[in-house]
Amino acid sequence: MCLMFTMPHLEDRADAQMRITPSKKSSAEIVCLVDDDPLVLRSTGLLLASEGFAVRQFDTGEDFIAYVASHDVPLVVLDIWMEEMTGLEVLARLCAMSPQTHVIVITGRDDNAARITAMQIGTVAFLIKPFDDEQFLEVVHRALGHPPGSSPR
C-alpha cells in the first residue's frame, strides 16, 4: 500500500525554489526536471521549453518531493547522482507517492548497478550526459504517450 504524505513546512520552500521556464502555450504538458547542476537545469529546461513543455525545475530532490506531495507530475527527468538526496532515493519516494509518474533518469556517470536498479524500479529511460537532444526529446514524447514524431507545439 502506498501512503501519501505531505510536508507543509517544505512546500513553501519548494515553491520558492522552483523555477518555471516559460512555455509556448499555457496548457502545455508539465515536465519536472531535477538536477543539482545549474547548467544542466538551464540547458535541458530550455530544450524542453523549446519543444512546448511547461518545465518545473528543482535543484534538490527534497524540493521536488515536496512539490510532488501537492501536485500531479506526469513526467520527471531526474539526475541520479545528487548531493544530500540521491536520485535513487528520490525515485524510491516518488514511486510510493506517485506511482503513475513516468521517470527518465539522466546521469554523468555510467554506473551499471544504478542503471539496473533504476530500470527495475520502472524508469522509462536511463541516459548518460551529455545526451543527444533529439534522442532525449524522443524519449520524453514516448514517456508521455505521444505518437512517434509528434510534438506538442
Side-chain angles (χ1 to χ4, degrees), residues 9-145:
H9 64 284
L10 292 177
E11 287 180 31
D12 291 336
R13 181 172 170 233
D15 288 339
Q17 293 280 333
M18 180 180 66
R19 290 176 298 282
I20 301 173
T21 303
S23 65
K24 293 182 179 178
K25 58 184 183 176
S26 60
S27 62
E29 288 178 281
I30 295 172
V31 176
C32 290
L33 178 58
V34 185
D35 199 308
D36 59 355
D37 182 337
L39 293 175
V40 172
L41 277 179
R42 179 174 163 72
S43 62
T44 307
L46 288 172
L47 177 62
L48 288 165
S50 74
E51 195 68 8
F53 294 106
V55 182
R56 306 291 187 263
Q57 299 177 342
F58 303 88
D59 57 8
T60 70
E62 293 87 350
D63 290 343
F64 171 66
I65 290 298
Y67 178 83
V68 172
S70 59
H71 296 84
D72 289 329
V73 177
L75 175 65
V76 62
V77 177
L78 176 64
D79 182 19
I80 205 81
W81 298 116
M82 296 184 290
E83 305 268 330
E84 297 176 36
M85 181 186 284
T86 69
L88 289 176
E89 292 170 314
V90 171
L91 189 54
R93 293 187 61 189
L94 178 64
C95 287
M97 295 173 69
S98 182
Q100 73 280 3
T101 298
H102 298 286
V103 180
I104 297 170
V105 169
I106 59 175
T107 182
R109 289 187 255 167
D110 192 5
D111 181 324
N112 221 20
R115 177 189 299 267
I116 290 167
T117 300
M119 297 307 279
Q120 285 175 337
I121 292 173
T123 59
V124 175
F126 191 99
L127 302 174
I128 307 299
K129 298 183 239 179
F131 43 78
D132 177 75
D133 290 353
E134 292 302 315
Q135 177 193 15
F136 172 72
L137 291 172
E138 181 181 313
V139 170
V140 168
H141 284 290
R142 187 180 51 193
L144 291 168

